[in-house]
Amino acid sequence: MGVRVERVYEAPDGGVRVLVDRLWPRGLRKEDAHLDRWAKEVAPSTELRRWFHGPEGEYREFARRYRAELEGPDARRELDELCESAGGGELVLLTAVREPERSHAEVLLEVVRERLGQR
């Protein structure tokens, strides 16, 4: 199974498409999103997201704190479902952030790959 991150605004390119943001993407109609599911429980908390986008936010510390949040029971349950949802196919983690490579989506990608035994 392959796992990748894409912006939710891009045209669908196969795989099980899962939105991993807590907030619905601006300017996107639900019928245009082509989602298989919306996994809000694996998104960073509002507090952590605000801290990261504030003056003290730093990516490495954000990634550490976010990984800690992913150890919570609701997030772990959602992670289990994410790993199972692709059924051996492609899993696409969708986000609305402008720089997915420096966001929660990239950290989540690493966590999912670790759980699946991938690099």
Side-chain angles (χ1 to χ4, degrees):
M1 167 167 79
V3 185
R4 68 181 189 272
V5 172
E6 289 182 3
R7 292 197 71 225
V8 70
Y9 302 106
E10 296 172 8
D13 188 24
V16 175
R17 296 171 48 86
V18 180
L19 179 64
V20 295
D21 292 348
R22 189 165 303 277
L23 304 174
W24 186 260
R26 288 184 183 175
L28 183 66
R29 296 183 333 189
K30 291 189 179 181
E31 58 270 13
D32 293 337
H34 306 285
L35 298 181
D36 293 297
R37 67 187 294 187
W38 185 6
K40 294 180 196 179
E41 295 302 324
V42 294
S45 66
T46 300
E47 297 79 17
L48 180 56
R49 188 172 40 82
R50 286 182 180 156
W51 173 84
F52 181 49
H53 294 291
E56 297 175 13
E58 187 268 322
Y59 183 72
R60 290 178 70 176
E61 179 62 16
F62 165 78
R64 186 192 68 74
R65 292 180 186 191
Y66 179 43
R67 280 178 171 269
E69 284 188 355
L70 290 173
E71 291 298 318
D74 293 338
R76 289 175 66 132
R77 190 170 27 261
E78 189 78 59
L79 276 169
D80 289 343
E81 291 178 21
L82 270 180
C83 291
E84 292 173 13
S85 67
E90 193 77 16
L91 176 61
V92 184
L93 305 177
L94 299 169
T95 183
V97 299
R98 289 187 186 135
E99 296 181 71
E101 62 279 352
R102 291 194 45 81
S103 74
H104 73 286
E106 188 67 23
V107 177
L108 184 59
L109 175 67
E110 293 171 7
V111 170
V112 169
R113 284 180 173 168
E114 289 166 7
R115 291 182 75 142
L116 295 172
Q118 299 177 357
R119 290 202 266 164

